[in-house]
């Protein structure tokens, strides 16, 4: 059954003071969807993820995640934030960071148990970072760090994975490796990925949503120039390779 | 050297030094990695209001400092989390108001304030046994909280946004951290004085950070460096006939500077040897 709605947003409005971040956004994400959310910077992409996580309460509209208010569904959500702002010298190893994902399962004021360590080991192996478990997190490359953060999201055994610009801080070879990793994960998870990299998104995801305050499009990954132009509010050129758009450039 | 232990004041001083090292070693790691050094400095200075209140009410000034540092820690936390006033402005307000209150209370107290200098600059050699017991109780509370909430504070100091995303009670944990810093300040006032507290909250942790990337190891090393600084400084002050608080801080500063310098040299040496 692929039609169970995991995330249901209905008429969401979010304002930051005078600025409107999201306006009347309605969106459903179904089980085993791999949804890419694209749109310009400041278009409300990160805000959308934070609404799903329950970190931001919308001023209007309703949010249900697994049929519950988002704060009560949190233990079933894995989240990888845009860039973890942390000190490169922070005293934590890859292993420490992966275990952080077990916080919710272990419970407040309790130490990690054997099963928590077993899950951390599994998750690090899954993203190919187990051999680096003893290394300081700040000493890894951006791509390796991102893998560890994905592992941290996976150790809580989530059913929904939210990724906010996961490839923003890593180079292009690392990016294709990262998308391969997501390909492997998408069979067992529902994934919502926010990105400004239209080319990569349209190649790897199954469904696309175009967001610029309002939701301009939501459907299969075949995008037309008209949709992109409406979303970005400026001409965007598509260079098609076969059936899927591969590279998107701004028109000069 | 061991014959000094026959004096009660020396035994109290050693116990106070060890307790101070444990408190500043453990909490100093959070102060340094979470970058709240100047919030801690603000709490320390604001506690002077409590010392003044203690004189005014005729109670132990340390008890007054305990209440004032806790109250100012929570006040700074409330201003930072609930208002739009910037953190450093909040620190400046609490810092100055706390000290001014202290001066005002002392002015209102008839007669003169004995031992005032020892609260400002520390006087490890005159710590009474009752205060050692108070320090022991505070250190026990601090250790219990850190043991119970180690994983929470690791996440919180690493990435606050992630902590919120997984539903941790971030604000409450932040207030509790400020309260622990306030208790640590009270423990350290006896040893180096409120003006120099910031040194013991930063030097041992900054030293330890160079040698490990594991937070638990960093805490253990930081306690050991705290011991080195307090007991080494105490011994030096005895040998050189210098005030103990200032000697502890200067000794720690010299060791830290030397060690940071050596680290830099070591890194540069390694870089020149690595082929480009």
């Amino acid at each position: 059954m692929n039609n169970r709605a995991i995330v249901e947003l209905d008429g969401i409005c979010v304002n930051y003071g005078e600025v409107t971040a999201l306006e009347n956004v309605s969106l459903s994400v179904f089980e085993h969807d791999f949804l890419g959310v694209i749109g310009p910077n400041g278009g409300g992409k990160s805000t959308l993820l934070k609404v799903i996580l329950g970190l931001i309460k919308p001023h209007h509209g309703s949010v249900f995640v697994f049929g519950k208010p988002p704060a009560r569904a949190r233990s079933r959500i894995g989240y990888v934030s845009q860039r973890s702002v942390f000190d490169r010298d922070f005293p934590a190893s890859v292993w420490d960071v992966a275990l952080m994902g077990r916080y919710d399962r272990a419970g407040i004021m309790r130490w990690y148990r054997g099963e928590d360590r077993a899950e951390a080991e599994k998750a690090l192996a899954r993203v190919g970072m187990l051999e680096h478990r003893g290394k300081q997190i700040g000493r890894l490359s951006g791509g390796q760090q991102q893998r560890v953060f994905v592992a941290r999201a996976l150790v809580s055994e989530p059913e929904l994975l939210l990724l906010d610009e996961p490839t923003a801080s890593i180079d292009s070879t690392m990016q294709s490796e990262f998308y391969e990793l997501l390909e492997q994960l998408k069979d067992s998870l529902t994934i919502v990925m926010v990105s400004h990299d239209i080319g990569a998104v349209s190649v790897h995801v199954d469904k696309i949503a175009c967001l610029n305050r309002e939701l301009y499009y939501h459907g299969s990954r075949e995008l037309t120039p008209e949709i992109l132009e409406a979303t970005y509010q400026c001409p965007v050129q598509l260079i098609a390779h076969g059936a899927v758009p591969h590279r998107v450039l701004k028109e000069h | 050297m061991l014959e000094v232990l026959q004096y009660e004041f020396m035994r109290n001083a050693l116990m106070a030094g060890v307790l101070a090292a444990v408190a500043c070693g453990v909490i100093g790691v959070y102060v340094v990695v979470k970058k709240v050094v100047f919030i801690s400095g603000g709490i320390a200075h604001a506690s002077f209001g409590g010392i003044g209140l203690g004189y005014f009410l005729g109670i132990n000034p340390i008890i007054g400092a305990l209440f004032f540092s806790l109250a100012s820690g929570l006040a700074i936390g409330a201003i930072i989390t609930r208002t739009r006033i910037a953190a450093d402005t909040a620190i400046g307000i609490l810092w100055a108001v706390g000290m001014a209150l202290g001066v005002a209370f002392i002015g209102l107290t008839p007669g003169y304030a004995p031992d005032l200098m020892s609260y400002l600059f520390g006087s490890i050699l005159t710590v009474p046994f009752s205060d050692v017991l108070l320090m022991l109780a505070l250190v026990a509370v601090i250790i219990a909280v850190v043991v119970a909430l180690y994983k929470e504070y690791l996440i919180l100091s690493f990435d606050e946004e992630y902590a919120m995303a997984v539903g941790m009670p971030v604000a409450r944990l932040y207030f509790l951290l400020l309260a622990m810093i306030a208790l640590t300040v009270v423990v350290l006032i006896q040893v180096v004085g409120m003006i120099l507290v910031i040194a013991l909250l930063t030097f041992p942790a900054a030293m330890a950070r160079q040698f490990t990337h594991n937070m638990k190891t960093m805490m253990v090393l930081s306690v050991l460096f705290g011991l080195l600084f307090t007991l080494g400084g105490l011994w030096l002050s005895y040998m050189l006939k210098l005030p103990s608080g200032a000697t502890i801080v200067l000794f720690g500063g010299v060791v830290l500077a030397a060690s940071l310098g050596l680290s830099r040299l070591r890194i540069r040496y390694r870089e020149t040897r690595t082929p480009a």
Side-chain angles (χ1 to χ4, degrees), chain A residues 50 55 74 79 81 84 86-87 89-92 100-101 103 106-112 134 136-137 152, chain B residues 33 35 147-149 151-152 154-155 157-159 161-162 164-169 209 212-215 218:
Chain A
K50 286 180 179 162
L55 293 181
R74 233 176 233 156
Y79 172 56
S81 63
S84 282
F86 70 91
D87 188 342
D89 284 326
F90 190 91
M100 288 177 186
Y103 161 76
I108 193 163
M109 284 178 69
R110 285 175 200 278
W111 289 17
Y112 298 116
Q136 186 171 13
I137 182 76
R152 177 173 70 172
Chain B
V33 301
K35 301 196 169 87
V147 168
L149 292 168
K151 81 175 189 309
E152 281 76 6
L154 182 66
I155 299 174
S157 27
F158 181 67
D159 184 349
E161 198 201 7
Y162 178 79
M164 273 189 246
V166 293
M168 273 176 47
R209 190 177 202 165
T212 178
H213 61 262
N214 177 290
M215 193 123 117
M218 188 173 161

Side-chain angles (χ1 to χ4, degrees), chain B:
Chain B
M1 189 61 215
L2 278 175
E3 67 269 23
V4 295
L5 284 179
Q6 63 186 294
Y7 302 110
E8 198 204 339
F9 74 89
M10 213 56 200
R11 288 198 301 272
N12 288 348
L14 284 178
M15 284 188 279
V18 171
L19 289 169
V22 173
C24 76
V26 172
I27 297 302
V29 167
Y30 290 131
V31 168
V32 167
V33 301
K34 191 124 180 51
K35 301 196 169 87
V36 289
V37 173
F38 281 91
I39 291 182
S40 315
I43 294 173
H45 283 77
S47 71
F48 187 63
I51 288 169
L53 186 65
Y55 280 118
F56 180 66
L57 297 176
I59 59 168
N60 184 350
I62 284 297
I63 301 294
L66 176 61
F67 283 109
F68 251 71
S69 68
L70 275 175
S72 57
L74 299 183
I76 288 178
I79 294 173
I80 292 172
T81 54
R82 310 227 167 118
T83 73
R84 298 179 66 174
I85 298 171
D88 58 344
T89 309
I91 295 163
I93 294 167
L94 264 296
W95 184 309
V97 169
M99 292 217 72
L101 276 173
V103 175
F105 281 130
I106 289 168
L108 287 171
T109 310
Y112 102 118
D115 307 325
L116 184 58
M117 286 294 277
S118 70
Y119 294 113
L120 288 172
F121 298 106
S123 160
I124 193 171
L125 293 173
T126 61
V127 179
F129 187 64
S130 59
D131 283 359
V132 173
L133 288 180
L134 176 68
M135 289 169 78
L136 181 65
L138 298 181
V139 171
V141 170
I142 290 166
I143 297 299
V145 173
V146 171
V147 168
L149 292 168
Y150 176 80
K151 81 175 189 309
E152 281 76 6
Y153 280 115
L154 182 66
I155 299 174
L156 187 68
S157 27
F158 181 67
D159 184 349
E160 207 167 299
E161 198 201 7
Y162 178 79
M164 273 189 246
V166 293
M168 273 176 47
V170 169
R172 268 178 281 167
L173 287 169
Y174 184 63
F175 277 101
L176 184 58
L177 178 64
L178 292 176
M180 285 196 290
I181 292 171
L183 298 187
T184 308
V185 163
V186 175
V187 172
L188 298 182
I189 281 177
Q190 309 268 20
V191 176
V192 284
M194 39 158 293
I195 292 179
L196 302 177
V197 156
I198 215 168
L200 280 189
L201 277 174
T202 50
F203 294 1
M207 268 301 274
R209 190 177 202 165
Q210 304 172 79
F211 302 104
T212 178
H213 61 262
N214 177 290
M215 193 123 117
K216 273 181 206 154
T217 315
M218 188 173 161
M219 285 178 173
V220 171
L221 285 178
S222 171
V223 169
L224 293 177
F225 286 124
L227 274 176
L228 173 73
F229 296 160
T230 46
L231 301 184
L234 181 59
W235 178 75
L236 273 177
S237 77
Y238 177 79
M239 300 304 283
L240 302 172
K241 310 272 180 291
L242 284 172
S244 58
T247 314
I248 289 170
V249 171
L250 290 174
F251 174 57
V254 168
V255 174
L256 177 62
S259 135
L260 290 173
L262 279 176
S263 284
R264 273 191 76 97
L265 281 179
R266 208 176 58 213
I267 290 164
R268 203 173 291 170
Y269 177 70
R270 208 186 297 149
E271 276 168 0
T272 52
R273 274 171 44 121
T274 329

